[in-house]
């Protein structure tokens, strides 16, 4: 079993839709939870990071962590064509390396 | 622009050959990380260097090696290449060796094709 599982998609939604991206994990030591966005032919860039359980909002993006269920989510409101990218969840615990999910490819259709 | 520079952007070579990928971290960052990205495996951590010293090792094959030089740039050497080594190789950097929050700054990658 992989430490981090992420639905690979692809996910195709109309512009303006609410998008939900999810990951599950098995390592209880994970404390830091991140979402990276990767555009085609580019390197990943950090979109959001949260520590421990709870929600964090940044504009149209909301990151949610449920440590009891070992489940994290990223919600995108009012999705735009410019949101079309691959979204990778990532996690780390303490001094451990960052472990990435395999990524979900999102396409927002105008 | 993340500030991390990787060269070459594209590389095509034959099985059995050896290649070197180069990475310059963001100004002031002491840690360099190498990741391999393939379609079916996602981003796989290979190795981390902090201020010239190896800090952590992931799923790096024995045919692969890396080093970080005094000027903090890093090189990833891939030898006895196999078809399965074809992938995107990313370098990332962070200031702290621990990358405590997990914030890594990635380069644009080096796409390796082994024929």
């Amino acid at each position: 079993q992989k430490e981090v599982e992420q639905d690979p998609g692809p996910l195709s939604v109309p512009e303006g839709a609410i998008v939900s991206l999810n990951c599950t994990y098995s390592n209880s030591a994970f404390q830091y939870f991140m979402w990276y966005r990767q555009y085609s032919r580019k390197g990943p860039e950090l979109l959001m990071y949260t520590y421990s359980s709870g929600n964090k909002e940044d504009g149209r993006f909301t990151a949610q962590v449920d440590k009891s269920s070992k489940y994290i989510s990223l919600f995108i409101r009012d999705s735009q064509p410019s949101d079309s990218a691959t979204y990778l969840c990532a996690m780390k615990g303490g001094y451990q390396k960052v472990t990435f999910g395999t990524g979900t490819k999102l396409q927002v259709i105008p | 622009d993340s500030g991390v520079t990787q060269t070459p952007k594209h590389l095509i070579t034959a099985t059995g050959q050896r290649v070197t990928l180069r990475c310059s971290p963001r100004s002031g960052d002491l840690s360099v990380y190498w990741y391999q990205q393939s379609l079916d495996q996602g981003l796989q951590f290979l190795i981390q260097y902090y201020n010239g010293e190896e800090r952590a090792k992931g799923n790096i094959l024995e045919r692969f090696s890396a080093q970080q030089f005094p000027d903090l740039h890093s090189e990833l050497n891939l030898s006895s290449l196999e078809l399965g080594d074809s992938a995107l190789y990313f370098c990332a950097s962070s200031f702290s060796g621990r990358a405590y929050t997990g914030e890594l700054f990635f380069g644009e990658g080096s796409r390796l094709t082994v024929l």
Side-chain angles (χ1 to χ4, degrees):
Chain A
Q1 182 192 8
K2 289 184 177 179
E3 275 191 301
V4 179
E5 299 277 0
Q6 183 174 8
D7 189 342
L11 191 58
S12 185
V13 301
E15 183 175 353
I18 296 175
V19 176
S20 172
L21 304 167
N22 311 294
C23 287
T24 58
Y25 63 95
S26 57
N27 189 341
S28 299
F30 287 147
Q31 295 176 294
Y32 298 90
F33 304 91
M34 294 142 280
W35 287 94
Y36 280 78
R37 178 174 61 193
Q38 185 176 16
Y39 289 114
S40 182
R41 303 185 185 282
K42 298 288 187 183
E45 58 177 345
L46 183 68
L47 191 59
M48 293 189 72
Y49 119 84
T50 54
Y51 172 70
S52 198
S53 284
N55 292 0
K56 184 174 183 179
E57 192 172 315
D58 184 2
R60 297 184 294 108
F61 299 88
T62 300
Q64 195 172 74
V65 174
D66 182 347
K67 289 192 75 177
S68 62
S69 302
K70 295 191 177 67
Y71 190 87
I72 72 169
S73 300
L74 177 71
F75 297 97
I76 307 174
R77 289 184 301 280
D78 187 26
S79 55
Q80 302 295 308
S82 59
D83 295 328
S84 298
T86 296
Y87 290 80
L88 302 114
C89 62
M91 311 174 188
K92 75 186 295 288
Y95 301 140
Q96 296 175 2
K97 63 178 174 65
V98 178
T99 300
F100 287 84
T102 49
T104 300
K105 189 170 184 178
L106 170 67
Q107 184 180 18
V108 181
I109 302 170
Chain B
D1 184 2
S2 67
V4 177
T5 304
Q6 286 188 249
T7 56
K9 288 195 188 314
H10 301 278
L11 196 53
I12 301 174
T13 188
T15 54
Q17 295 298 303
R18 172 191 168 95
V19 299
T20 297
L21 309 180
R22 194 180 192 279
C23 169
S24 293
R26 286 190 324 158
S27 176
D29 282 357
L30 301 177
S31 261
V32 168
Y33 307 75
W34 286 97
Y35 282 84
Q36 180 191 58
Q37 187 176 44
S38 56
L39 279 173
D40 56 343
Q41 293 292 320
L43 263 176
Q44 297 292 308
F45 170 70
L46 296 178
I47 197 163
Q48 177 201 353
Y49 280 84
Y50 175 75
N51 206 19
E53 300 289 326
E54 183 182 304
R55 176 61 65 94
K57 218 168 190 175
N59 301 320
I60 188 166
L61 299 171
E62 284 190 12
R63 300 183 286 109
F64 297 179
S65 64
Q67 55 184 324
Q68 186 179 28
F69 295 87
D71 67 352
L72 301 177
H73 92 271
S74 178
E75 292 182 356
L76 178 67
N77 300 296
L78 314 174
S79 62
S80 303
L81 286 168
E82 302 175 358
L83 295 177
D85 297 328
S86 296
L88 260 175
Y89 291 85
F90 283 105
C91 169
S93 73
S94 70
F95 176 72
S96 165
R98 303 170 186 146
Y100 209 72
T101 62
E103 182 168 16
L104 301 175
F105 296 88
F106 283 84
E108 296 202 347
S110 293
R111 182 175 294 279
L112 173 66
T113 302
V114 182
L115 300 175

